[in-house]
Amino acid sequence: MPNILLTRIDNRLIHGQVGMTWANHLGANLIVVANDKVADDPVQQNLMDMAVSDVVDTRYFTIQETIDKIHYAADDQLIFLVVKDPQDVVKLVEGNVPIVKLNIGNMHFSEGKQQITSTVSVNEADKQAFRRLQKLGVKMEIRRVPDESNTDISKFL
């Protein structure tokens, strides 16, 4: 069983808040980014690697690669899994990735989305994905940074 400490939705994927603040808070030694586009974009990967301390490794996998490879993680790999949106989290959970706790950190506002907190905006597809994750038993919270109090997303669904 892989040691997934936390899964986070952040449409920016890895940046200072994720690469330093959250990784340090969790004690993670590996950040896995599950994203189809970034998995094939070495420029984006190099930019994201700049936001991570030297003691934390990174891996960039497609959603399917994450499903296929996560169970081969070594026992000493303490994994912080980062994804871009809730639909990808549903694919991972339905693909048997053992996600127990989901942190919703940042989902940018765009046309057709409703802002539910200062950093999270959702549309109906996002809400459906969160409801599906709820049914699958995933505990979910909205929290930007570790020292902030969390908000239960279920009141917005």
Side-chain angles (χ1 to χ4, degrees), residues 86-99:
Q87 292 79 7
D88 284 347
V89 181
V90 170
K91 291 176 192 171
L92 292 170
V93 172
E94 290 179 343
N96 209 24
V97 175
I99 295 172

Side-chain angles (χ1 to χ4, degrees), residues 53-88:
S53 77
D54 293 340
V55 298
V56 177
D57 290 327
T58 54
R59 302 283 186 282
Y60 299 92
F61 297 141
T62 64
I63 298 300
Q64 189 59 51
E65 283 176 313
T66 305
I67 291 167
D68 295 342
K69 294 179 179 182
I70 198 77
H71 291 282
Y72 294 105
D75 290 341
D76 63 348
Q77 288 179 313
L78 305 174
I79 302 167
F80 181 21
L81 182 59
V82 181
V83 298
K84 199 167 202 134
D85 60 50
Q87 292 79 7
D88 284 347

Side-chain angles (χ1 to χ4, degrees), residues 7-11 63 83-94 99 102-104 106-107 113 120-133 136 140 153 157:
T7 301
R8 177 179 170 93
I9 294 174
D10 194 315
N11 59 329
I63 298 300
V83 298
K84 199 167 202 134
D85 60 50
Q87 292 79 7
D88 284 347
V89 181
V90 170
K91 291 176 192 171
L92 292 170
V93 172
E94 290 179 343
I99 295 172
L102 177 63
N103 166 260
I104 303 137
N106 196 32
M107 295 175 62
K113 290 202 172 202
V120 177
S121 297
V122 296
N123 59 23
E124 189 53 40
D126 298 328
K127 290 179 183 181
Q128 287 176 358
F130 287 127
R131 287 191 290 266
R132 177 75 180 132
L133 290 168
L136 292 168
M140 297 180 286
I153 192 167
L157 305 178

Side-chain angles (χ1 to χ4, degrees), residues 4-23:
I4 299 174
L5 304 173
L6 183 67
T7 301
R8 177 179 170 93
I9 294 174
D10 194 315
N11 59 329
R12 301 165 295 175
L13 299 172
I14 297 178
H15 52 92
Q17 210 175 67
V18 167
M20 297 299 245
T21 306
W22 274 103

Side-chain angles (χ1 to χ4, degrees), residues 29 36 52 59 68 108 125 129 138 142 147 152 154:
N29 59 21
D36 291 345
V52 178
R59 302 283 186 282
D68 295 342
H108 285 309
V138 177
I142 298 172
D147 61 355
D152 182 3
S154 63

